Amino acid sequence: MVKICCIGAGYVGGPTMAVIALKCPSIEVAVVDIATARISAWNSDQLPIYEPGLDDVVKQCRGKNLFFSTEIEKHVTEADIVFVSVNTPTKTQGLGAGKAADLTYWESAARLIADVSKSAKIVVEKSTVPVKTAEAIEKILTHNSINKGIEFQILSNPEFLAEGTAIKDLFNPDRVLIGGRETPGGFKAIQTLKEVYAHWVPEDRIICTNLWSAELSKLAANAFLAQRISSVNAMSALCEATGANVSEVSYAIGKDTRIGPKFLNASVGFGGSCFQKDILNLVYICECNGLPEVANYWKQVIKINDYQKERFVNRIVASMFNTISGKKIAILGFAFKKDTGDTRETPAIDVCRGLLADKARLCIYDPQVSETQIDKDLNMMKYSWEHPVLLKPVSPTALKQVSVVWDPYDATKDAHGICFLTEWDSFKELDFQRIYDHMEKPAYVFDGRNIVDPEKLRQIGFIVYSLGKPL
Ligand code: NAD
Ligand code: UGA
């Protein structure tokens, strides 16, 4: 039986390994982590992450060929293939602070693999890493096991799943990418990993490349995706200034098969743990390689994202007679996108910070995000990527202006305005007449996701500001 161990039981490690275990009953998969609470949750009925379809997959294989454990050394020692899926956040201190990837967690995982290995292993980069990381990992592994004569083969196998659709994406990926050394040992390792995926992924969707192409393709894919959103968001500002409708523009340009219809939804800004961090990483790599023009090109994608969030807040304040001081504003949706409870880099944090700076009272509702999480997010120091400094968290006085509820009708009761910040399907089903009747007048709606029908709401009496749409 082939044994796989995955270091890192997070949003990627957990679902990815669960699907490998489900699709490959002949493979034993152990997912290990230093976070004891996270592992306990993986072993309970309340999984640590909310992801449609995940519970079912885990239930089918947990205890059979899928194990979650904190016994890292044991499982790494026994494994033939070790995936490393630890977090690779942006550095906040030292050289490259604000842009470069922090590889501390990756390095400690690599050192552990070198220390405990007694037999040959394939080490797979699952985390998103800077191009050329495999070279550094190779050095750590070989130099730390020099007397053991163990052969390590490093593969880059970046993950392309999106949260909220992780299981669907893993079951039916557009492609699986495997990069390795162009040596006999490298080709053999690529083939071994390819055979794992071939259990359910058609062979023509498994792309094999050299290591650096695989590493860079991951950063490039995220940069291209984020760039589409910043492009359509930039257009949304122009639409508001000219009377064009961004949904109509997206539809019209998306009909061109060279452009395509996906990922053209204007929004309050993209969020999530990866787009910004991966673009910053790309920017840093370009700068280090003497390519400032290329670095500046990609930086602009993040600048537009920041601009979009700021623009959204300014529009709210301006439309409410330039003062929101003491006014209750309902925040509907806090997660960075629908169908996840993940709030990492969610635009909601910046919007809430902006509204609180203007002394609004906020009442927040999200079907998957707890009060504790929202509290933590607003209490966090925020790192400004452009001027590498830490921005203070929301002040204790402003935090007193925030309440979190589990019912959208409670959130909107007596509110002056409503902001839609996540595109939860359930928001489309709300009884807007009931909401309107219990709000202060004029009752405003600021739709940061273009999920409500502005005309219907206007008929009820709301003043509706939809992103990139005429008033
Ligand atoms: P995460 O923070 O949810 O999980 C990472 C886990 O690694 C944590 O539980 C942490 O405790 C654990 N860890 C850190 N150092 C460890 C060590 N030395 N030993 C054992 N465990 C350790 O992160 P994530 O969202 O799963 O992302 C992981 C990587 O995958 C990142 O590089 C990210 O860029 C990439 N990625 C993420 C997504 C996504 O949708 N979240 C998609 C594609 C790629
Ligand atoms: C993204 C990529 O889609 C994945 O392929 C990649 O693996 C992953 O990042 C990663 O490397 O972490 P994810 O961040 O989970 O996945 O979710 P997306 O669906 O890409 O959405 C990201 C953000 O963009 C969300 O805030 C979403 O609301 C926003 N978005 C997306 C828009 O504003 N408009 C769109 O048209 C699409």
Side-chain angles (χ1 to χ4, degrees):
M1 198 181 208
V2 174
K3 285 194 177 182
I4 288 180
C5 172
C6 175
I7 305 180
Y11 284 86
V12 169
T16 313
M17 292 303 126
V19 169
I20 290 183
L22 182 76
K23 300 289 185 182
C24 313
S26 60
I27 296 179
E28 188 181 299
V29 183
V31 192
V32 297
D33 205 294
I34 39 176
T36 321
R38 215 166 200 188
I39 291 296
S40 303
W42 279 111
N43 282 319
S44 76
D45 287 337
Q46 191 69 48
L47 300 185
I49 60 177
Y50 170 70
E51 191 62 63
L54 178 63
D55 281 38
D56 192 42
V57 175
V58 171
K59 266 187 199 136
Q60 286 187 61
C61 10
R62 196 173 53 194
K64 290 183 191 149
N65 66 331
L66 174 66
F67 303 92
F68 294 95
S69 168
T70 48
E71 288 184 273
I72 305 179
E73 295 188 8
K74 171 182 177 291
H75 289 289
V76 170
T77 312
E78 290 174 0
D80 306 293
I81 305 175
V82 181
F83 283 83
V84 182
S85 185
V86 298
N87 34 331
T88 50
T90 306
K91 269 183 93 170
T92 54
Q93 280 177 344
L95 188 66
K99 291 192 197 117
D102 181 351
L103 294 178
T104 315
Y105 304 104
W106 228 111
E107 186 170 334
S108 84
R111 286 180 187 279
L112 180 129
I113 298 170
D115 280 353
V116 305
S117 290
K118 297 193 180 86
S119 56
K121 295 200 191 311
I122 296 174
V123 176
V124 184
E125 289 176 350
K126 196 47 143 171
S127 305
T128 304
V129 290
V131 55
K132 285 284 181 182
T133 297
E135 202 169 65
I137 301 301
E138 236 168 28
K139 272 197 194 120
I140 293 172
L141 290 172
T142 45
H143 286 265
N144 284 287
S145 57
I146 218 143
N147 300 322
K148 298 198 232 169
I150 298 172
E151 191 199 338
F152 291 106
Q153 277 297 333
I154 323 288
L155 297 179
S156 163
N157 172 222
E159 185 48 59
F160 296 101
L161 68 79
E163 289 177 32
T165 53
I167 298 301
K168 201 170 125 260
D169 296 342
L170 289 165
F171 277 6
N172 189 21
D174 287 344
R175 80 308 210 178
V176 165
L177 179 57
I178 305 174
R181 284 280 184 200
E182 292 160 296
T183 60
F187 290 130
K188 196 168 158 226
I190 291 175
Q191 187 56 28
T192 306
L193 187 57
K194 197 174 166 183
E195 280 163 19
V196 172
Y197 285 106
H199 280 83
W200 80 98
V201 181
E203 206 156 316
D204 61 354
R205 284 201 227 155
I206 305 178
I207 304 171
C208 301
T209 66
N210 78 26
L211 270 171
W212 323 128
S213 305
E215 287 180 338
L216 186 56
S217 298
K218 174 63 196 176
L219 296 180
N222 273 1
F224 272 57
L225 288 168
Q227 184 248 24
R228 266 175 91 92
I229 304 169
S230 280
S231 297
V232 78
N233 282 346
M235 284 299 160
S236 76
L238 190 56
C239 285
E240 284 163 31
T242 57
N245 178 330
V246 76
S247 299
E248 292 176 355
V249 174
S250 289
Y251 183 74
I253 63 170
K255 277 287 173 193
D256 184 326
T257 50
R258 292 169 303 175
I259 296 175
K262 294 183 183 166
F263 249 70
L264 286 179
N265 294 323
S267 66
V268 58
F270 60 73
S273 61
C274 294
F275 278 175
Q276 174 162 316
K277 122 177 130 59
D278 292 346
I279 294 178
L280 289 171
N281 186 348
L282 190 65
V283 165
Y284 185 67
I285 296 168
C286 293
E287 285 172 352
C288 291
N289 281 283
L291 302 168
E293 288 80 5
V294 185
N296 285 337
Y297 173 77
W298 289 111
K299 225 187 251 179
Q300 202 58 30
V301 171
I302 308 179
K303 281 192 175 172
I304 286 287
N305 200 47
D306 284 349
Y307 164 74
Q308 187 75 345
K309 292 181 267 188
E310 234 177 85
R311 210 169 72 74
F312 188 77
V313 172
N314 292 345
R315 208 171 181 218
I316 296 172
V317 181
S319 60
M320 293 174 94
F321 321 114
N322 256 340
T323 171
I324 53 171
S325 176
K327 290 179 184 167
K328 176 177 173 181
I329 297 183
I331 302 292
L332 296 192
F334 198 83
F336 83 97
K337 63 185 278 196
K338 73 171 179 177
D339 292 339
T340 176
D342 194 352
T343 60
R344 291 177 291 177
E345 298 292 336
T346 175
I349 296 176
D350 291 317
V351 170
C352 289
R353 286 175 78 106
L355 295 174
L356 288 169
D358 240 296
K359 295 197 166 63
R361 284 187 299 127
L362 303 183
C363 192
I364 306 176
Y365 164 73
D366 186 292
Q368 284 297 334
V369 186
S370 67
E371 181 168 2
T372 321
Q373 185 59 49
I374 292 173
D375 228 44
K376 210 164 127 192
D377 288 332
L378 296 178
N379 255 310
M380 221 170 37
M381 299 276 243
K382 198 174 148 51
Y383 200 72
S384 158
W385 65 273
E386 219 183 344
H387 323 278
V389 286
L390 279 168
L391 304 174
K392 283 192 186 136
V394 170
S395 74
T397 329
L399 264 186
K400 284 196 189 120
Q401 302 296 312
V402 180
S403 56
V404 180
V405 293
W406 278 118
D407 182 308
Y409 297 101
D410 286 346
T412 51
K413 189 170 178 292
D414 301 324
H416 290 256
I418 303 173
C419 297
F420 287 102
L421 298 186
T422 313
E423 71 283 20
W424 285 101
D425 289 334
S426 58
F427 293 162
K428 293 179 196 157
E429 314 298 328
L430 290 171
D431 179 347
F432 283 102
Q433 183 66 56
R434 175 178 162 197
I435 288 177
Y436 179 79
D437 292 344
H438 292 95
M439 281 178 69
E440 297 289 333
K441 308 294 176 321
Y444 291 90
V445 166
F446 303 95
D447 189 355
R449 295 289 183 168
N450 283 342
I451 53 164
V452 300
D453 179 342
E455 282 322 311
K456 265 196 193 152
L457 264 59
R458 282 181 190 130
Q459 274 164 21
I460 294 174
F462 285 102
I463 297 176
V464 185
Y465 286 78
S466 297
L467 259 178
K469 296 195 178 181
L471 281 183

